[in-house]
Amino acid sequence: MKHLEKSFFKQDTVEVAKQLVGKILQVDNIKTRIIEVEAYKQDKASHAYKRTPRSELMYTTYGHVYVYLVYGMYYCLNFTTDTKPGAVLIRAVDYPNCNGPGKLCKTLNITKKDNGVPIGDRFKLFDDNYKPKIIASERIGIKEDKHLKWRFIDKNTIDKKYIK
DNA sequence: TACTGGATTCACT
DNA sequence: GTGAATCCAGTAA
């Protein structure tokens, strides 16, 4: 079991997203495997599209936690990367009630208070040499624009369980 | 100061 | 497949 160093995040957002699938995420004393992620760079679908106080983290850090509230009720967990701006959204992990970005944060008690903390504190990442079967490397169009997102899923785990 | 809409989820139909 | 819940960041004035 190898600790992922901060330098892991010092590479392209999409590359980090792809490599994050199958890694072990530890929050407090809960260890679970990441099974679905999404990469956001500077496209219109991302908060990073414009530099604002909220998106500042994505412009200035890598290897940090970025948490925001969507729809007034759900938090989303992201890790910032070296692509500035850029971040990887953690969409699902292999743990009960964690098959969605909002549910994941609710279950693991992740809120805005975690925004901006460096990885290695409350959030830790490990590599146990598990090889995920990454099936989805999609480009997803949003509404009338052709925004690009990159979503990566571990088919090994998806087949067994959830995911919408 | 006021308005708008979203990196979602769930309960309905 | 559709719509409601719910609040705050971003924007415009």
Side-chain angles (χ1 to χ4, degrees):
Chain A
M1 193 92 117
K2 188 175 61 185
H3 218 123
L4 285 189
E5 302 300 330
K6 186 184 174 187
S7 59
F8 172 81
F9 294 90
K10 192 173 172 57
Q11 48 182 336
D12 182 80
T13 306
V14 175
E15 199 54 38
V16 171
K18 197 188 301 178
Q19 293 181 29
L20 222 38
V21 176
K23 296 294 187 287
I24 302 288
L25 169 66
Q26 179 176 4
V27 183
D28 295 331
N29 58 350
I30 295 173
K31 272 190 181 145
T32 179
R33 197 179 297 285
I34 296 172
I35 58 180
E36 183 175 355
V37 302
E38 202 158 275
Y40 284 89
K41 296 170 78 168
Q42 193 166 25
D43 59 72
K44 268 188 169 176
S46 169
H47 295 164
Y49 182 62
K50 280 192 174 165
R51 187 167 189 160
T52 65
R54 179 172 63 172
S55 63
E56 186 70 13
L57 270 177
M58 289 191 279
Y59 282 81
T60 56
T61 70
Y62 64 89
H64 282 241
V65 176
Y66 170 52
V67 179
Y68 62 87
L69 184 67
V70 272
Y71 301 110
M73 19 175 34
Y74 296 105
Y75 289 103
C76 289
L77 171 66
N78 298 251
F79 296 134
T80 60
T81 65
D82 196 43
T83 304
K84 295 187 175 61
V88 177
L89 170 70
I90 308 303
R91 296 189 52 86
V93 297
D94 191 8
Y95 193 77
N97 256 345
C98 288
N99 55 333
K103 296 169 75 175
L104 183 155
C105 287
K106 192 178 171 195
T107 302
L108 300 180
N109 194 29
I110 296 165
T111 67
K112 226 178 153 185
K113 73 181 186 310
D114 295 303
N115 188 44
V117 304
I119 289 166
D121 193 3
R122 186 185 178 212
F123 299 83
K124 296 184 179 67
L125 285 159
F126 300 95
D127 183 356
D128 65 349
N129 287 319
Y130 167 77
K131 302 290 182 219
K133 185 175 182 184
I134 298 176
I135 52 159
S137 168
E138 320 176 29
R139 314 172 100 198
I140 303 166
I142 304 292
K143 292 181 181 172
E144 72 280 1
D145 294 316
K146 290 172 187 153
H147 310 147
L148 299 180
K149 302 195 286 189
W150 292 262
R151 188 179 293 194
F152 300 106
I153 302 172
D154 175 15
K155 191 165 191 302
N156 292 339
T157 316
I158 299 288
D159 279 350
K160 288 188 298 188
K161 304 187 180 182
Y162 18 70
I163 292 315
K164 314 194 298 183

